[in-house]
Amino acid sequence: MADYLDSLNEAQRVAVENLKGPMLVIAGAGSGKTRVLTYRIVHLINNGVDPFNILSLTFTNKAAKEMKNRIAMQVGRSDAKSLWMGTFHSVFAKILRSEGHRLGFPQNYTIYDAQDAERVIRGIITDMNLDKDIYKPKQVLNRISSFKNSLITVKAYYNNQELQEADAAAIRPRTGEIYKEYVDRCFRAGAMDFDDLLLRTNELLNRFPEVLALYQDRFRYIMVDEYQDTNHSQYSIVKALAAKFENICVVGDDAQSIYGFRGANVKNILEFQKDYPDMKMFKLEQNYRSTNNIVQAANNVIANNRDQLEKDVWTSNNDGEQIKVVRTVTDSEEGKYVATTIFDTAMEEGNNWSDFAILYRTNMQSRSLEDALRRRDMPYRIFGGLSFYQRKEIKDVLSYFRLAINHRDEEALRRIINFPARGIGKTTMDRITIASRENTMSMFEVILRAPQMNLGINAGTLRKLEAFILMIKSFKTQIETMDAFQIAESVVKSTGMVKELQKDSTPEGVARLDNVQELINSIKKFTEDQAEQADGDASLTTFMEDVALLTDADKDDNDPNKVSLMTVHTSKGLEFPHVFIVGMEEELFPSGMSINTRSELEEERRLFYVAVTRAETQAYLSYTQSRYRWGKVTEAEPSRFIEEIGDEYLHYTTPRTRQSRALGASGGLVGGESLRSTKPKSGIAPDKSPSRPIRKLKPVNSAVSGNTDLFSTQLNKGNIVKHSQFGLGEVMMVEGVGVNQKASIRFEKGGIKKMLLKFSKLEVVR
């Protein structure tokens, strides 16, 4: 008996040993799916199947490479090399190299990436004299991509009145013409985009029966990983190739289908039995990854989905810790809690930084988390995206700030002089650059003097340059009288950046707008913090200095020992001992854009299921009481998914820093200020409950401004106070009267701060 079979549990082994006929393997999270896929191929080869007759389709080249290496260790490298194994795109690109001439494509056809494709679309829109604000290239390309993934050709589009009416309603009635011209230009260029690799394969198999027969005979055994994430085009290819022998094995988990926005259709796995009535189903239900509490919590949540295949995921692992649920006041506090908890856990338990992952629903949430990790000098890396301050839209806004502060900043000027587009092109910039070098002047000064310098720039462009200069100079004037938030609002509105970003309704466009909003939120928080301090400086210059210090020189030395930050979508297939899932709020997770229908909500729930099951030993859920949205505080509501888990698997808590414990031990703070760790039946986290009632300090206003003793009667030396950002603090000194009264307070976080009581948001503990 083969040694590799002995390493499998009973459910895995039965699936591996079934070699004939259609089969569906439902693989729960952490159930050893890759092991089953790998050993089933090994078992096929060991039972006389020619590796050349095995087609194994994966969703990443990395997965294919790892599987091939494992197979090679069992059957030898020669047989492993003979397998047809790879992603859908890589395998069918190979077939099209051999057979594409039947469709009129050369053997060495070009594969366009997304930028190439978008450039072609942009050229078509220009040539057709269409309004680029209506026919935005990326939106049009996404529309065409959705057609191709649904096997809607140009001809099919023109035969579908509903599609044409939808484009007309979107004020893009000529989408079909663009689609046709795009297909024609790609064909003339001997090129295919990524979607064409699937669409053209379908066309090849449908138009040429002899080709279909050839590959049906070659691929007698077909295996498909992550079947729940296949789109209609991929489904059609697999169904056609498997039609002759029906030795098809699909592996996946409907509970982890999270790519509907890309065209994936969860019905492909849910309705597999309709295509193959005699199919056999195998369920891998033992989770080897996570503790029992994590497994059962995930089960409870996904049970709320109506459309799913029945399974009972379980584990023989120990119960482990309950999932910790944390409520913070703001997202900044959330970031600090996460950073502090990671630091404390790593120090106390001896974990590596790479044992920790922070997952969020949208990329914009990374800003406060990055700031908190940087301030604690903790190494981290962002998966699937740039650092917050390195994202294009953020750098665009910051470049306006930089140029307003320093007119000689040429890099900032080059970046934003024609963004948003204002008709200042490359030829004009080349002339300005040459004049700057020849006259030893900054580019800004050249533009300022351009009318007198005879640069060969026409009158219309000169007027545009003049308007740009006046705008930047006006920002410079505002710096002298406004705080950072006021100027930031002025910049994003006056430049038209927000309006420009709002035109792009694609998921990428919405994310960029969200990121600018998050930047504005951080600036608002900065100005509020500075206003509370007697020596605070809320100027734009100070903010930019802070940002520069935070983002100075990314130290990427290829050290894998870093905290991982990523969206939940990016986390699929990964696992970590400790996982923080932040932003667990309604309208954020689940997303407010994805709860309009049952199918959308169920995909959000599957996404949360994926997030929770990334954790091996400990999961944390955090949510805030309020978040900034475009500089305004909005109340937040805990996500419905928290309640769906069930209280028996949750531990509600409130963060307390190590420093506060130290201060408490020394008598500086209230000794009873400890966490209350009981779980309320309501499912809402309790506040900390000090032994004495908290009372709010009332700010001075017109009705009481004459009362010069207002604060002195409520706040005295020795009082213990609470601040939303700095935590608990001891009043060291109170001075001044009325609106000018201020106090020196030694906080647990941030040291001694001198606070203007007129603006401070303090609560008296005792």
Side-chain angles (χ1 to χ4, degrees):
M1 188 173 292
D3 292 340
Y4 60 85
L5 293 177
D6 294 336
S7 67
L8 302 172
N9 66 32
E10 185 60 28
Q12 293 171 336
R13 181 168 175 167
V14 172
V16 166
E17 290 181 325
N18 186 80
L19 302 181
K20 293 286 187 177
M23 58 184 287
L24 169 62
V25 180
I26 302 299
S31 62
K33 168 175 67 78
T34 302
R35 177 184 291 264
V36 168
L37 282 166
T38 302
Y39 287 159
R40 187 169 186 273
I41 293 173
V42 170
H43 203 58
L44 284 168
I45 295 172
N46 286 342
N47 280 271
V49 175
D50 190 331
F52 282 99
N53 294 140
I54 300 173
L55 170 64
S56 179
L57 297 169
T58 64
F59 262 76
T60 66
N61 287 310
K62 179 182 178 183
K65 184 177 180 181
E66 290 175 353
M67 285 178 61
K68 257 191 177 179
N69 287 335
R70 293 188 193 183
I71 293 167
M73 294 175 65
Q74 295 289 335
V75 301
R77 193 153 297 278
S78 177
D79 278 347
K81 284 183 178 180
S82 300
L83 292 166
W84 283 69
M85 176 179 283
T87 64
F88 277 88
H89 292 94
S90 65
V91 169
F92 298 127
K94 181 179 178 182
I95 290 175
L96 287 167
R97 293 287 180 200
S98 300
E99 310 292 344
H101 65 277
R102 300 172 185 267
L103 301 174
F105 285 88
Q107 185 178 19
N108 61 341
Y109 66 85
T110 299
I111 298 176
Y112 280 165
D113 63 19
Q115 289 183 338
D116 296 325
E118 189 177 335
R119 195 175 300 117
V120 175
I121 294 290
R122 184 177 288 108
I124 293 169
I125 291 170
T126 299
D127 292 347
M128 292 175 65
N129 295 315
L130 298 175
D131 188 338
K132 290 182 180 178
D133 290 335
I134 296 175
Y135 291 89
K136 296 191 73 68
K138 183 164 287 187
Q139 286 183 331
V140 173
L141 182 60
N142 286 341
R143 180 70 167 159
I144 291 173
S145 176
S146 70
F147 293 155
K148 291 182 177 181
N149 286 327
S150 298
L151 299 183
I152 299 171
T153 61
V154 172
K155 182 178 180 181
Y157 175 85
Y158 278 113
N159 288 331
N160 190 318
Q161 192 64 31
E162 187 177 341
L163 291 176
Q164 296 175 61
E165 289 175 355
D167 286 328
I171 324 177
R172 288 191 288 267
R174 300 183 69 183
T175 298
E177 295 176 56
I178 300 173
Y179 185 14
K180 182 180 185 304
E181 180 62 20
Y182 174 66
V183 170
D184 290 345
R185 291 193 183 190
C186 288
F187 183 78
R188 288 197 298 270
M192 299 186 204
D193 63 23
F194 272 61
D195 298 317
D196 284 326
L197 296 177
L198 302 179
L199 180 67
R200 294 294 187 179
T201 299
N202 270 293
E203 182 184 357
L204 183 70
L205 300 179
N206 287 326
R207 284 180 55 190
F208 300 94
E210 67 276 20
V211 175
L212 175 60
L214 172 67
Y215 287 98
Q216 283 177 336
D217 193 58
R218 176 169 297 173
F219 302 138
R220 300 187 176 206
Y221 295 84
I222 299 174
M223 300 181 65
V224 186
D225 190 14
E226 304 287 8
Y227 192 64
Q228 77 279 353
D229 290 329
T230 53
N231 59 35
H232 183 62
S233 186
Q234 292 164 328
Y235 160 83
S236 297
I237 294 171
V238 170
K239 193 169 187 298
L241 291 175
K244 184 175 182 180
F245 294 100
E246 291 196 345
N247 292 322
I248 177 171
C249 170
V250 301
V251 183
D253 181 5
D254 58 293
Q256 298 185 64
S257 178
I258 60 175
Y259 295 114
F261 67 97
R262 293 182 186 170
N265 189 350
V266 70
K267 288 185 178 180
N268 291 346
I269 193 169
L270 293 176
E271 299 179 357
F272 184 76
Q273 190 167 5
K274 288 185 178 180
D275 291 326
Y276 305 96
D278 59 340
M279 70 94 181
K280 295 179 181 178
M281 181 183 294
F282 302 87
K283 296 181 180 180
L284 308 182
E285 298 173 308
Q286 183 176 1
N287 180 300
Y288 290 93
R289 175 189 303 157
S290 307
T291 63
N292 185 57
N293 276 323
I294 292 171
V295 170
Q296 297 306 324
N299 285 346
N300 280 4
V301 173
I302 204 63
N304 289 275
N305 272 11
R306 186 174 64 187
D307 297 328
Q308 60 176 304
L309 296 168
E310 183 181 345
K311 62 180 178 296
D312 181 23
V313 179
W314 60 280
T315 184
S316 61
N317 295 337
N318 59 42
D319 285 346
E321 298 288 331
Q322 293 170 304
I323 293 175
K324 295 183 179 178
V325 182
V326 181
R327 178 182 65 186
T328 60
V329 178
T330 66
D331 58 340
S332 294
E333 287 296 315
E334 182 179 53
K336 290 171 189 173
Y337 163 74
V338 171
T340 299
T341 303
I342 291 175
F343 185 87
D344 288 354
T345 304
M347 295 302 104
E348 292 167 8
E349 300 182 6
N351 298 96
N352 293 320
W353 298 122
S354 56
D355 291 336
F356 300 89
I358 307 172
L359 310 184
Y360 33 79
R361 180 64 181 82
T362 65
N363 277 312
M364 74 172 185
Q365 294 171 255
S366 75
R367 192 270 310 165
S368 60
L369 298 162
E370 290 185 66
D371 287 352
L373 292 169
R374 281 196 186 98
R375 288 193 170 98
R376 296 212 65 147
D377 198 26
M378 294 163 64
Y380 69 90
R381 55 179 175 171
I382 293 180
F383 286 72
L386 295 170
S387 167
F388 181 83
Y389 293 109
Q390 293 299 312
R391 291 168 185 153
K392 178 188 181 302
E393 59 276 9
I394 300 304
K395 294 188 76 172
D396 289 338
V397 178
L398 295 181
S399 292
Y400 271 103
F401 296 167
R402 286 166 47 187
L403 190 59
I405 293 169
N406 176 16
H407 293 341
R408 298 176 62 181
D409 190 333
E410 289 192 6
E411 290 305 310
L413 186 147
R414 289 178 184 278
R415 186 177 189 93
I416 49 87
I417 194 167
N418 201 41
F419 179 80
R422 49 177 62 91
I424 301 173
K426 183 178 182 300
T427 301
T428 298
M429 290 305 298
D430 288 344
R431 289 172 178 171
I432 291 170
T433 301
I434 292 170
S436 171
R437 302 294 181 264
E438 290 179 349
N439 294 279
T440 321
M441 297 164 57
S442 70
M443 293 179 69
F444 191 92
E445 190 174 359
V446 169
I447 296 172
L448 197 62
R449 300 184 182 185
Q452 295 83 40
M453 294 183 69
N454 297 320
L455 300 179
I457 299 173
N458 64 51
T461 303
L462 286 174
R463 285 193 294 271
K464 293 168 185 174
L465 290 169
E466 182 180 8
F468 175 78
I469 290 291
L470 288 174
M471 179 176 64
I472 299 299
K473 291 177 74 174
S474 72
F475 295 154
K476 177 73 169 180
T477 302
Q478 290 171 3
I479 289 175
E480 300 169 5
T481 58
M482 295 181 178
D483 65 30
F485 173 69
Q486 292 169 323
I487 298 170
E489 274 196 319
S490 176
V491 168
V492 296
K493 290 177 182 177
S494 301
T495 58
M497 277 191 288
V498 170
K499 190 175 181 181
E500 180 72 13
L501 291 171
Q502 286 174 333
K503 294 176 182 177
D504 186 355
S505 60
T506 64
E508 295 82 6
V510 172
R512 283 192 287 272
L513 186 63
D514 285 344
N515 289 335
V516 174
Q517 172 187 323
E518 184 61 13
L519 177 64
I520 299 299
N521 293 342
S522 70
I523 298 173
K524 177 67 171 179
K525 184 68 168 58
F526 165 82
T527 56
E528 288 184 342
D529 292 346
Q530 294 295 320
E532 289 183 19
Q533 302 180 41
D535 55 351
D537 180 2
S539 69
L540 183 65
T541 302
T542 301
F543 173 79
M544 290 299 293
E545 182 178 319
D546 285 359
V547 170
L549 291 173
L550 283 175
T551 61
D552 184 32
D554 283 333
K555 302 173 182 178
D556 188 3
D557 54 1
N558 296 318
D559 178 8
N561 189 23
K562 297 177 180 180
V563 178
S564 298
L565 279 73
M566 68 190 81
T567 64
V568 182
H569 281 102
T570 305
S571 74
K572 186 136 181 287
L574 303 177
E575 55 190 55
F576 304 88
H578 299 264
V579 173
F580 293 78
I581 308 170
V582 300
M584 289 301 304
E585 299 144 32
E586 289 291 305
E587 305 291 321
L588 186 53
F589 200 0
S591 168
M593 298 177 65
S594 302
I595 56 175
N596 298 313
T597 66
R598 173 179 289 277
S599 62
E600 289 176 341
L601 177 59
E602 292 200 350
E603 177 147 329
E604 286 291 301
R605 189 175 282 113
R606 293 193 294 267
L607 188 60
F608 179 62
Y609 177 88
V610 167
V612 172
T613 54
R614 298 311 93 197
E616 297 173 353
T617 60
Q618 183 66 69
Y620 302 79
L621 309 178
S622 65
Y623 67 95
T624 67
Q625 292 176 274
S626 62
R627 281 189 189 269
Y628 278 108
R629 292 184 184 275
W630 293 106
K632 295 181 180 179
V633 177
T634 57
E635 294 301 313
E637 178 185 350
S639 170
R640 69 189 74 188
F641 298 151
I642 297 176
E643 184 178 353
E644 291 175 359
I645 288 175
D647 281 353
E648 64 268 35
Y649 303 114
L650 300 175
H651 177 91
Y652 293 89
T653 186
T654 305
R656 180 182 68 171
T657 64
R658 293 176 54 161
Q659 190 174 8
S660 70
R661 290 196 290 273
L663 288 170
S666 66
L669 295 177
V670 180
E673 195 67 27
S674 61
L675 300 183
R676 188 174 69 165
S677 59
T678 57
K679 305 185 298 295
K681 292 183 180 179
S682 65
I684 303 298
D687 290 321
K688 287 193 285 187
S689 300
S691 57
R692 304 187 183 206
I694 291 176
R695 62 185 190 275
K696 278 189 178 290
L697 285 174
K698 297 178 180 178
V700 173
N701 55 43
S702 58
V704 296
S705 59
N707 183 358
T708 57
D709 294 325
L710 177 67
F711 289 104
S712 61
T713 60
Q714 297 189 57
L715 192 63
N716 299 287
K717 181 179 178 181
N719 278 155
I720 302 300
V721 296
K722 179 182 176 184
H723 185 271
S724 63
Q725 178 179 355
F726 304 122
L728 294 173
E730 180 181 2
V731 178
M732 310 298 294
M733 179 177 65
V734 180
E735 57 184 318
V737 294
V739 296
N740 296 317
Q741 193 172 29
K742 50 193 172 186
S744 295
I745 304 171
R746 178 165 63 91
F747 285 103
E748 60 180 41
K749 294 178 284 184
I752 297 176
K753 299 286 184 182
K754 188 170 287 188
M755 314 290 289
L756 283 173
L757 298 186
K758 174 182 178 181
F759 296 108
S760 63
K761 300 170 183 175
L762 298 171
E763 295 176 336
V764 179
V765 175
R766 69 170 177 84

